[in-house]
Amino acid sequence: MASYVVLTPPDSPYPDDETVLIRDGFSWLALLIPLLWLLWYRLWFPAALLLLLSVAIALLAGQFPGYSMALTAATALVSAFVAMEGNGWRIAKKERQGWAFRSVVDADNRATAEEIWFDAIEQRTVNAAPAAPPEPRPRNIHPAHAGSGPALGLIDYGDRG
């Protein structure tokens, strides 16, 4: 089961229409073609760093042909790092742009995560009548906890609460 981070846009009259769910976890496409993946999601700084690192590894491979296996392994490790952290970078970019972190939804796929999230939104609006009992929260949605660290990876999402 995967976790999806729910983000809503800043100052949108209908935030539910533009809500974004980003899978928080490993990206196979980022592992296979990390530079194109970073460029597709407009992560310019990590893409520039990856390009510089790739050029440096290629130059080292030309200078030290005996270390080609080690340099190939280094390239694979860099790709694995992008695959593990890339979606976290996407989330951080959205937050820097002013998007609001709303919640984390656990689901098997994105379509199911969207269904869970929007059903929960609908339930909140139905239960928003005066003197309504406390709304039950779906079991797959986890509120953000202040001080909680990353489940996997090196980048924390900051204080939530």
Side-chain angles (χ1 to χ4, degrees):
M1 189 169 291
S3 296
Y4 292 85
V5 175
V6 180
L7 301 162
T8 56
D11 304 327
S12 175
Y14 303 104
D16 294 340
D17 292 341
E18 298 175 17
T19 298
V20 173
L21 279 77
I22 299 175
R23 185 174 187 266
D24 184 23
F26 190 84
S27 171
W28 283 102
L29 198 54
L31 177 69
L32 299 175
I33 48 172
L35 185 61
L36 292 176
W37 189 88
L38 289 170
L39 292 174
W40 178 263
Y41 288 109
R42 296 184 175 148
L43 297 168
W44 308 122
F45 185 70
L49 288 178
L50 178 65
L51 184 60
L52 288 174
L53 190 58
S54 298
V55 168
I57 290 173
L59 290 174
L60 285 173
Q63 291 290 332
F64 304 104
Y67 293 103
S68 64
M69 289 299 284
L71 295 172
T72 301
T75 302
L77 288 174
V78 169
S79 294
F81 180 71
V82 171
M84 287 187 284
E85 296 299 328
N87 284 327
W89 296 337
R90 288 178 58 203
I91 294 166
K93 177 186 175 191
K94 289 282 190 193
E95 288 180 330
R96 283 191 308 270
Q97 293 173 340
W99 288 61
F101 172 89
R102 295 296 177 205
S103 188
V104 176
V105 178
D106 290 332
D108 292 328
N109 55 43
R110 184 173 177 194
T112 305
E114 288 176 349
E115 191 174 310
I116 292 169
W117 174 251
F118 290 115
D119 282 348
I121 294 283
E122 186 177 316
Q123 288 297 323
R124 285 186 206 142
T125 57
V126 168
N127 292 337
E135 61 193 62
R137 189 168 55 235
R139 66 173 194 250
N140 291 351
I141 296 179
H142 305 290
H145 299 287
S148 65
L152 174 67
L154 303 175
I155 297 177
D156 191 7
Y157 298 122
D159 292 335
R160 308 274 193 245

